[in-house]
Structures are given as C-alpha cells and as structure tokens.
Amino acid sequence: KSLHPSHIDRGQACMDKAPIAGNLSDPRAVIQTSFVPVVLVLCTPAAEKLCQTACNNTRFIDVLRSVLYQSPARRASVRLGEGTHEISDLKVRFMDITQLERPLDDAAALGNKVDESLPGDTFADIKIRTKADVPLFQRAYKDSTPWFDRYKVEFIRGVGSSEHEYFSHPVAVVIAAAADEANHIASLVKLYDPARPPVIFQEGRGDVTAPKLYALLQEGDVVPPAVEKKLVEMKNTFGNTSCTVVKLGDQKIDDRADGPKTVPRFVTDLVYRSVIPYVEKSISDLNEFVSASKKGSLQKMRNFFRLGAGGSGKTKEEEAPGNYIYGGSSVETATRRLADLLFMIQDYEAALANYRACAKDFNNEKTWHYFAGTQEMIGLCLFLLGRDVENFLDVANSTYQKSGRDRFAMRSTFFYGDILKLRGNFKTASDVYSRAAERDTDPFCSAILQEQAAFCYLFMSPPMFRKFSFRLIMAGLRFADINKRKHALRCYMWAYSVYEGKSWAAVDDHLHLSLVRHSYSLSRMNDALHYIQKLLAKNIQSFQKQNSIVREFLYICKAAGAVGGEAFPPIPIPVINNNAVRVYLNDYTPQGSDIIWNEMEDAFRLEDAVHNKGPARQGFDLWKAKEDTQLKTKISVVEEVIYVEVEIKNPLSVPLQFTHMHLTATLEPPTTPAAAPSSPTPFSPPPAHDPASSSPADPSSPAPVHSPRHDQCDWPASSEVSMAHAEPQATEGETAAVVQALLDELVARRGVQGFRVFPVDVLLGPQEVKRLRLALQPLKEGVLTIQGIAMCMCGSVWGRREFTLKQRRLNKTPQQRQTPTYEPNLTLTIKIAPPMPRLEVAFQDMPRYIYNGEVRRAGLTLHNCSTKTGLRNVRVRLSHSTFVTIGEDEKGSSHDAPLTSSGTSSMSSSSSGASSSLIPAIPVNVSVGPNETLTIPLWVIGGAVGSFTFCFLFYYESELPNREVRYRLTRCQAEVKVLPSIRVSAFTQQSATDLHAYVLGLDVENKDPNMAFGVKQVSCVSTVWRIDPLCQMQQGGLTVAGKQSFNSFFRISRAPTTEDSGASTTDTTKKAVSRHVGNKVHTDVLLDTAKQGVDSAEHPQLTFLRKEHALQRRIQAQQAHAHAHPHKDDRTTRPGAPTPDHTSAELDDHINKLDLIVFWEGSKQLGGPPTIFGQHNVPLVSFMPMHNKDPLLASPWGTMPRGNHLLAGRMRNDLVPVPLRFDIDSPAQVAHRFQSGSICVVPIKLHVANCSSYTSLTFDFTTLMPHELADPEHGRAMYAWAGTSAYLDISLAPQAQTSLDLSVCFFQPGVFNLNRFKFTVRAPDQPNQDVFSPFQHLISVEDGEVRE
C-alpha cells in the first residue's frame, strides 16, 4: 500500500500528541511502549527532501512512525531455546542518530514542546472548597493534567543511552537514499561505513552486527528503469535481501504479489525479518555465554576472591570502551543485556531472574548506577507481573541520585509515582513528587511535579486541602518563572478556590495579585478586573503597595474599556454602607420616630378607605411591608427631585478622587398606559424641552436648571461624617452645563432616558467616611429603580457601585422554609405618578424653650409649590395633641370650631401627649391656590416637662382628579424643650358643716429657683358644681417664690340652676363668677383683685383643658381595662380602642367630677413685671363616690347593668366608697353642775343623707360602748350613749336624708369627740360594710352655769 497524505497528517498529529501509543496515564502502557527495540534511521539530505515533498512536509522517520502506530497489533512468536514466547503487540521505536547521540540537550525545549501540543483552554471551571467537591472534580477532569503525562512520556523516551542499560541500543539500522541521487551507493556508504561506523557504535552503545536495511525512496507508483538499475547496484553491493525500493505518493493500493515494497510492507518486513530474528539470535547467544561463564573455573575463582569488574584478566581500560566500567565480554554485561532483551519481548519472569542475578554483583562491587538500574527494572517487572514492588523503585531513585544520574532518577520517579497513584497510595506518591520537585531540576519539570503532589493531597481520604493549595501555589510560582502563565493561572485559580473566604491576609494578597497579573497577561480582562476588585476590597496592604495596586487597577480598567467593556463597569471602591442608604421624597423623610409617623399615616389610609367606601388607594406614605408587594412601592411625582442619602468609605490608605458621582437608575414605562385626557389639564405630558428649565414665575420663559432644594425636608445631621450636597458643581474650565452634558451622554450610552441626574465631586482621604445626598429628577411617568452610583475614579476610569439591600426571609409556607426564599426589597423602587401639587409647611415663632404650662402663640405657613393646580381638603394629625392647638384666636371665631369639637375626643397614648392613630384628623378648612401662601395661628402649651418632638402630618388633595394618587402627605416637626415651672395638685374632702358641700384644696409648688410665679385665677368647669374661695382675696394674688409652695382652699357646692344658659351668679365679695356655657358650668375665681380675669370658656384656654381632660379620661379607661383583664396581652388591643366594659359617654357623665384651670403669671424676680403667662389644667377631680354605672368607683350594691362587672369582686369592700353622708347637730358648749351628783345628758341629732343619684341605701346605725375601739393613747372614752343606741333597717332613696335622735352622757367636764358610732351598710349578695366617722365632732362640757 502507498502512504496517503491523510495518513501522514494523522501520523504527525499522533507524534505530536502521543509519541507512544496507549493510555499515557496508565503506567503499564507507558512501560510497555517505552522499553521496546530501537531501530536507527539514517537518511541522506536528498532522501529527506524527497520525502517532505511527497508526504506533506513530513520526515521519513516520522512516516515510519505514523505507519507503525496506525497499524493493528502485531502478534509475534519468539523462539527461546526449545520453546517459544508469544508477544501480543510488538512495537519498535524509530530514532535518528541525533536522539541517540545527544539526549535531552535542552530540557526547556521539551517543556515548550509539550506545552504547545496541548489544548488552549486548561483553566479550572470547578471550585474545590469541600470534600464533596472532590468527586465532582474527578468526574469533570478524568485527565486533570494531560501535560504531565505528555512530559513524562517524552522525558522517558528522551533519557537516551547509558552504559548500564541496553534499551537504546539499535537492533536494526535503516539507511535511505533518494532514487534521483547520482551516486547513491556513495551516499549510503557515507551514512554507515562498516569500517568506520557512527560514534554510538564505536562507544559500544550499539551492536555493529545488527541488521542493515537499505532503502531507495521513489516518488510515484511506477518504478523507472533507472531506479531498477540503481536497485540492482545496491543489491550487488550490500546484499540481495537487505535492499528495497520504497514508493511515496498518492497512488492506489497495489495488490500484485510481486510488486515493489511500500512503506507499510517495508515496516512489516523490518519487524518480522530483521528485528525478531536478530533478537532471537542475541538472546540465544547471550544465554549460552552466561551459562558457560558461570560454569567456568575462572569465574568461580573471581567470585570467590571478589576480583574487580571485567571478568577475564584484562584491565578495565583494555576491555571497556569509553567510560564503561564493565567490558563487553563480561558476564555482568551479558546478563544485563540478556535481561533487557527479555524485558523488551515482554518475558518478564525470565527478565526478573536475570536482573536479580546481576544486581547482587553490582551491589557487592559498589557500581551504584548499575545497581540502581537493576533495582528499577526489578520493580517494573514485579509491577507488570502484578506483585508488590516493595521499595525497589525507591532504592533505585536514591541510588541514582547518589551516583549522579539525575535523568534516570527522574525517570524512576515518574514510574514510582504512577504505580503508587494507581494503587491508591497517594500519601507516599505526594512525598515522592515533592522530594523530586525540590531538587535542582528543570523548572517546568519541577512545576508539574509540584502540581502532581498537590493532586495527590487532594485525592487522599480525607483530602488535605491546605497542602493541596500550598503545592499548587508552589507550582504556580515555578510556572510563572518560566513564563508559563496559562499553567500558572490555572494553579492559582484552583488554589484560590480553597483559600477564598478564609481571611488569610498574606495568602489572599499573593493569590489576588498573581491572578490579576496572569489574567491580564492572557487577555482575560474580566477575570483581571474581578480579582483586582477582590484585592482592593481586602485593603490591608501598606500604603506603598496599595498605591501600586490602585495604579495597576486603573491601567487594567483602561485596557478593559479599550477592548470593549461596559460604560460603567463595577469597581470595588468606594465601600457603600447599604444599611445607611435612605431615600428622601418630598412627602417623606425617615428621621424621627417611625412608629408615630406610621400610626398617623395608617390612620389617614383607613379614613380614606372609609370615606370612599372601597379599598384604600395608593398614597405617598404606604410603602410598608404588606402582603401585596405593590403597597410597598414608594410614590413620587414627575419633575420632583428624589434624594438618596449614601454613606461611602475609602477603605484604602491612599486618598482617592471621584468626579461626576451620580445615581444610576432605570425607568420602566407604566404597565397600563393612561388614557389621553379629553381636554388640556395641568397634568398633560411635559413639553419637548427640559421640564426643569421653566421658571416658576413664568412657565414660558426658559431658564437654566436650578439645583434641587435641600430645605424641603428636615435632613438629619451627623457630626461623625462629612456632608456633601449633590448639587451640580462647576470646576475649572468646566461648567455645570458641561458636566450635565457629559452625564447625559453617558446615560444615553446605556439606553436610559426619562430622568436627570446631578453629579458631585468627592475627595475621600485615607479611611475617610462621607455621607452624600445625591439627587435624581424623573421627567416621565413609570417605575423608577435606583440601582447604585456611578463615578469617574481618579479622573480616568468610569465605574459603578450597586446598592445591595437586605432582604427579608420568607417563612410562611413549607416550601419557603425548606428552600430559602426572600422578599424583594423595594426600598429603591419608586413609582412616578403624574404631576400633583405639593404642600410645604413652615413654623413661625415656634419656641424652642417653654415653661411647663406656659402658653405661646405661633403660626403655620402653608405654601403650594405647584404653579399649575391648587390643593384642598387640608387636614392635620398631631403627635402631641395636648401640647398644640390650631385655630383662630379671635373671640367667637368659627374657624376653630371643628378643632374644639374634635379636641374633646382626641386622646393621647401617654402622659406626654403622643397621639394615637385613632385620633380624628383636625380639618384646617383652607384651600391653597397655585403658588399661594397662607398663615394660620398655632397655640403651644408646655404640657409636661422634658424634650419633645412635635410631629405634624398634613393631608391634602389636588383640586383636579389624579388617576394614580388621591392624596398626599407632608411631614413637619419641631423640637421643643419644656422647662419646669410650678406643680399643681388638688385634693378634696367632705365638708364638716354641710351635707351637700365639699372642700377643695390646691397645693402649688414652685419648681424653678430662678422664677417667681403668681396664681391669678382659678377656674372650674363642671356639670353642676361651682367653687368659692374660703379665704379673703388680696391684691397681687397668691405669689410663690422659688422652691416654695402654698395651699389654698375652696368650697365645692351645687351651682344654681337657671333657664338662661348665659345667666351668671357673682359673689362680689369673693370674686367668683359662674355661668352656664352649653351643658357646663364655668366658675372663674379671680385671686388677684387688681387685674381683670380670664374667660375660661374661650379659645385656647378651654381647648387645652378639653385635650387634657380627654387624655386623663383615656388613661383611666386603660387602667380600668387592665384591672378587668389582667392576663390579657396589651399588644392585642390597639391603643385607644374602646373596651367592652365602658364607653366614652359613661366616663363623661359623672356629675361629681370637675375640671380645674389654674392661671398664673411668671417673672424673673419676686414682685417684678410678668414675662410669661400660662395655665395648669387639673382634669377629673373627684370629690364624692360615684354611681354604680361608673367602672372606676362602682359600689357593690344595687343592680349592675349587664356586662358592666368591671370591678365587681376585684376590690376590697373596705376600699369601695359608700354614698353615705352624715352630720351631727349639737351645741358647741354645754355647762353642767357636776357637784350636784348628777350626770350631764345632752340631746343631739344625727343627719344622714344618701348622696347617690341612682341607688337606694339601706343601713344600720349602732352606737359604740366606751370600751369599744378604744384609742391606745387615750384609753377608754369618758362618755356614753343614752337612750336609743341603735337604728336598724333604715332605707334612704337617692338624694334623700333623715335625722336620728340621740343622747350622750358626760361624767365629768372636758372636751369630747362625738364620733363613737358606726354605720353598717348592706347590699344584696355582698358582705356588710362598716363605715366609721372619718372626722371629729367636738363638744365642750364645763362645770357650772352656762355663761351668756
């Protein structure tokens, strides 16, 4: 058959990739294909040129190799003595004279050859982090290091010949010449002259008797007569059987039996007719020689006397050519050559016996490299026979090193390592590779050995990841030293997968820096950027190193941009504190107490739903975590600026400059397109020109874009961070318009339109933190998603940093609990609605400091920022409703009517006045036109001592309908500190002189040592009661200096009824004025006669009282509810929700309660002019027991209404008030003559009244004996009761009274207390309750006549 060019191509590829057939990672195949008979090929230059012309630039020796390795297995039989040995697949190696003369001249060239023959993509795709990743890696990379196997085979083949082994000695010689050569005989003789053979034969590295085959190369299928004539001349010169013609070309197969020999047939004839016969003859001759030598007497004597090497009596110089120790005729040489020939024909048992035989002689004679060679081959024979190799290969390796045969030591290392890996002994294999790599060898060889050691550590059980990574890093360093960056990058990537996230600073720096540089050198820009970002994120290097890294980063980013990267690629710095990212809208700022704001916003949402009889529509406040994700989206308005507060940090030790920093976002169009309006409205789409370029005063006049206002909401300040406003800034040679144009161009590159950004320049010092407020102005409707910030770093590299906000883990369904599922965080997602009016609120004359109880007048300014439409239906909710009231200060003004009517039901959740979401909103009853400003009055009172933040939440609607948003909210707040002034407390008791009157005491204490306060008036508001002073009023009123207090007393009595609600009753002496206002009685007691009084029924005095009254009423209701349900979780009840045990009407109908207002003035010095004015409200002052409908003071008798058992059975009977009033009517002084021997008997009357208006009263009256309830300090009583001592079953109707006649006996003169009696009050289904006299009734008894 002729050799087809395609065969030659495949043969060349086979040579490049697998010079030896079989699995290169299988040590058995490597051994059997490495130790085979060698055929020397000699070609004339003309023959090489002819072969390259005919066979696609392929040398003649490569043509022979390709035919040999593409042919099927050649089975052969070799005669060994009287028997035969079968060879399953006989291979030979074709080598030229250069390979035999100069083996492995350039180790680096071998590494390059192996590296170039491998595929280009050898990078790691699988991360190795845990034990579970190892099987995945083994399945993905069955041949993880093909370059190692390739290098190993090429190295073994290129070891060359040595005097201690005969595997590289040629068993045949092929000598080829071109058919067109003029003197072909001379050319052939020149290649191999029997009289003067090549150097290898002269040095004893070849047998001159080996068969020679002479080939005449002819291109084409037809042999010309001239060529046949030359063939005849060759046969006459070199022999008839050793000469042939080899045809080269594209001819078809020639089936003629007598045709000329082609290349395949030539190779077959060479193997079967030359190689095998020569091997058979050599084995036979060597067997006879060895046997005869061992039987001879001379050999026995030599062995006995341990003679030197050589065998015959000749010296080493005479017997051994070159540097050979043993001569060619020595028995050791013959035995070793015989063993090598047997090994090459795969008779491993016979070869093993001969290796063992000569190993003893080499060891005894200390010829160490000979001994090492036999130990190596003994180990390989044992392995191929399936036996334990023990430590033969290890001994061979160390002995080779001892004798200086490093190439053969490395060969034994390859064999030993492969055998250990095949048998799973990875621990020993890693040690073998590591020791070999640390010797002074070829850097490429050392690198691949380190890599093999690393994988041995990985494939152990359990894997040793740290040693695996360490050896890979060592391999990467060696690869980098010889510029094998592809291999170095792969090693570093595998090692990085283990070290990633371990927080080892030095290792991370080395790995990241190496990965960056190798990735960049291989044009892997994305990987280089990724790893240098990781390197910058660690930021633990020194200043000099960080400076170098930053410059390298900028250079790589520029190169990546030139290749065609993103307009804003991600960069690792600056670091963004994602927990501090805040979005500021014109309707929302996140400062203050979120709970208070959320309660008030929820209340407006509920009111809107009830008012419109449907589900609540979206408002600007409703972005809380609801089940419907749409409710969490914030809402803004077209053309209104959105602010994002970002906290950034420079983690490096070098300063960094960032220019043109701005927000990045996407604006998606609305999902449902809105219908076009039937007529032009202020909500029409914006014009073609810049929407922000119109002046508010004249919409038609263009104006440059103005910077966003930062005073539209209260921004939180921080003293720990530097603040920078996100306004367009003009730098040298660059105006704000130029900056904006640059940003517009960059935004246009990303295909984003519909919003405008405002850049800012920032300089971050080393480790500096700054808080920025960046602005963005939407110009169209849609859904705006803010993604992060973009900037130009150091004036050369554009990049971006994205926000990564925390997401809430969902845990509602079993699937969510098994598979982590997170709720989308829509903090940075904003819905852009059509234009709407916007309300701005500002305070006028709002005090920062105020005294407790002081009343100040301030104002609220309402401004409509819209120039297109007005706003209406303005309402407000207050966080501290008892501190503030809104309304006109004119007498009888109707503007405050809604406020005062709703103020009575406004309740606060605490004593400080924090409002609840159930408080009705206060209508302001104003409409603000486009670009209009209104001012409304505001009254502030210091309700409690402390620092307070007054939160005002304004609700308003547009005058024109809006399809997206029905209402908007505006927040406004003020910080007020309330200073201490006076403390007012009230106490009551029964009157000792009147059954239907009570005594009211006021205790006033001055808490401020630097102020003097004077009480000018005391007013009472009640249903039926009025008050009168019990002391004479004086000019100047009651004044109390610093840290002093005083008491004042008043009489509580029923006010006279009148049909005229405006009638009044005046006590001109005591300055008490009472009048009916609605269903209330207002009594004003002027304590300072020199000044005009204050009308307690006017605004804002009465408004503040009503607010305080509502607050205390709610507190009492909550306390009662807590007593009724002590084990109920308070969190299950909404603050301010009505309890089932009472209603507001029941609490407000108590006729035995009254509200007090104490008006005062304050001055800096005692008697000085007043500087401040205030009032202290004391609501719900109780002075007598309540009826049974009262849940706080209900009595245990009478019929209880259904479900109204709030305190029944929960309060001790002796603590429950009894509606029983009594009074003793007796003379104050009595005279009696005790010398006459008679006792003094005085008649008295006891008046008893039922003060309840609802319940009848049944009781027993009993007098006490002198010894009963005696006072331990005074002993027995000195009087006794006479006559009727008890009255039983006395019943009194509501508001009824009766009189009991009694007599008392005195035995001696003195002053006596007539209080020794008791009442036993009875109630159905309740134990009896004893009531004793709580006060004294004194009577004076004198001895003698009564003086007139």
Side-chain angles (χ1 to χ4, degrees), residues 1237-1251:
S1238 61
I1239 61 175
C1240 179
V1241 179
V1242 179
I1244 63 176
K1245 282 185 177 292
L1246 181 64
H1247 304 286
V1248 183
N1250 180 6
C1251 60

Side-chain angles (χ1 to χ4, degrees), residues 1223-1225 1241-1248 1261 1263 1281-1287 1290 1298-1304:
D1223 185 23
I1224 298 178
D1225 184 10
V1241 179
V1242 179
I1244 63 176
K1245 282 185 177 292
L1246 181 64
H1247 304 286
V1248 183
F1261 172 81
T1263 59
W1281 298 98
T1284 304
S1285 61
Y1287 291 88
I1290 300 176
T1298 186
S1299 298
L1300 305 178
D1301 294 326
L1302 300 173
S1303 298
V1304 59

Side-chain angles (χ1 to χ4, degrees), residues 807-824:
Q807 294 179 309
R808 185 173 66 91
R809 170 78 180 272
L810 298 178
N811 198 25
K812 295 181 179 180
T813 64
Q815 183 179 4
Q816 292 174 349
R817 288 188 288 268
Q818 295 174 1
T819 304
T821 306
Y822 296 91
E823 183 184 28

